[in-house]
Amino acid sequence: MAPVFCLLLAFFMIASGNAQGPPSPGYSPSSRISSVTFNQGFRNLWGPQHQRVDQGSLTIWLDKTSGSGFKSLEPYQSGYFGAAMKLQPGYTAGVITSLYLSNNEDHPGNHDEIDIEFLGTTPDKPYTLQTNVYIRGTGDGNLIGREMKFHLWFDPTKDYHNYAILWTPSEIIFLVDDVPIRRYTRKSDATFPTRPMWVYGSVWDASSWATENGRYKADYSYQPFVGRYTNFKISGCTANSPASCRPPSASPSGSGSLSRQQVSAMNWVQRNYLVYDYCHDPKRDHTQTPEC
């Protein structure tokens, strides 16, 4: 019985630790930014028949006829971009629910992008949150992705949680409930997005790659696949802002760099929930990602 008891104890300790979540980052960048309703900050981009706005919140869905996407009213050159999102439970393989920045419409085949993408899953496995950065992506299929993938310390289908991208001239920080999970720093102009981008969100069928590299596809017997968004937050410098404009700070110091407490929380997340890092992928050609 002793080995069984030890296993149960270990499981309990792991479960208890996970239930606690990360240590407090000590600062909430989102608390400094006012919420906007969907119509104050965004408009429908595609799939209008698969979008519903109610009291400033947004519901979009995918079925076998279409998905849906939305776009900000203005392009930005830096800023804080976030929303509270609630994901669909059950079988969602092949389906992407996203919040991201891009200038793909302005620079097709040569665009920049900063992504938060939830990769759909099968009921026995957790969602994967994929963060990604593209710089001047090429149109020949040779996109250089900079993916870092995470599991979460909570069930993102049970309630709304806040997800955000903070993009400044010197770094990109991805946040979950104000906890930094990834920091991508500007090491050179060649490896950092500097052109204005729009804010987008969408739910769409990415069966060819989204779930375990395409092993599991979207199954429309489970439709509709619903993404819910509320508590939108946008604060930053638009493409037409003066050069003196400064985006919000990630840290209490206002200097932009994360505090020691924020770095400690980020390190905890990466130690416990990071499941893929492009810099540590032996199959990747790292001459294409010199920042690694």
Side-chain angles (χ1 to χ4, degrees), residues 89 127 152-159 161 163:
Y127 267 95
L152 295 165
W153 50 96
F154 53 84
D155 181 347
T157 72
K158 296 281 193 206
D159 207 349
H161 290 269
Y163 306 96

Side-chain angles (χ1 to χ4, degrees), residues 35-268:
S35 299
V36 297
T37 65
F38 175 76
N39 289 326
Q40 285 173 322
F42 300 92
R43 63 174 179 83
N44 175 262
L45 181 63
W46 59 282
Q49 73 280 17
H50 289 66
Q51 172 183 308
R52 185 174 66 249
V53 178
D54 182 31
Q55 297 183 329
S57 298
L58 174 74
T59 302
I60 55 177
W61 61 93
L62 166 72
D63 62 25
K64 62 186 176 184
T65 65
S66 178
S68 187
F70 60 91
K71 179 182 179 180
S72 60
L73 300 177
E74 293 188 274
Y76 294 85
Q77 55 191 0
S78 62
Y80 177 101
F81 312 98
M85 297 170 61
K86 185 179 179 183
L87 304 180
Q88 168 119 348
Y91 187 100
T92 56
V95 178
I96 299 282
T97 310
S98 66
L99 182 72
Y100 64 102
L101 307 177
S102 178
N103 48 35
N104 186 44
E105 292 178 281
D106 301 317
H107 306 284
N110 181 34
H111 76 288
D112 309 296
E113 193 167 310
I114 305 171
D115 295 332
I116 290 176
E117 297 174 304
F118 289 96
L119 311 184
T121 187
T122 52
D124 57 326
K125 293 176 183 169
Y127 267 95
T128 298
L129 187 163
Q130 174 169 281
T131 63
N132 205 353
V133 180
Y134 290 116
I135 297 96
R136 295 185 181 272
T138 58
D140 59 4
N142 189 32
L143 276 173
I144 310 301
R146 292 167 167 84
E147 302 91 346
M148 286 179 70
K149 301 178 186 180
F150 300 83
H151 289 157
L152 295 165
W153 50 96
F154 53 84
D155 181 347
T157 72
K158 296 281 193 206
D159 207 349
Y160 284 92
H161 290 269
N162 293 301
Y163 306 96
I165 295 163
L166 180 58
W167 172 38
T168 76
S170 60
E171 62 186 2
I172 299 162
I173 297 170
F174 297 86
L175 302 118
V176 175
D177 288 337
D178 281 312
V179 177
I181 63 168
R182 176 183 183 182
R183 175 168 57 184
Y184 181 88
T185 57
R186 181 174 185 165
K187 295 184 178 176
S188 75
D189 289 352
T191 61
F192 197 83
T194 57
R195 298 176 296 178
M197 290 191 270
W198 304 76
V199 191
Y200 295 86
S202 59
V203 58
W204 57 288
D205 185 334
S207 288
S208 63
W209 65 270
T211 306
E212 298 185 33
N213 295 316
R215 180 182 173 193
Y216 296 99
K217 316 290 187 188
D219 181 345
Y220 287 99
S221 66
Y222 295 98
Q223 71 177 33
F225 301 102
V226 181
R228 293 178 172 86
Y229 300 73
T230 191
N231 196 29
F232 293 97
K233 298 201 171 194
I234 298 184
S235 178
C237 302
T238 66
N240 299 316
S241 294
S244 58
C245 182
R246 293 287 175 268
S249 172
S251 70
S253 69
S255 66
S257 58
L258 297 173
S259 70
R260 187 177 299 174
Q261 195 170 346
Q262 287 174 306
V263 170
S264 176
M266 181 174 69
N267 289 342
W268 184 93

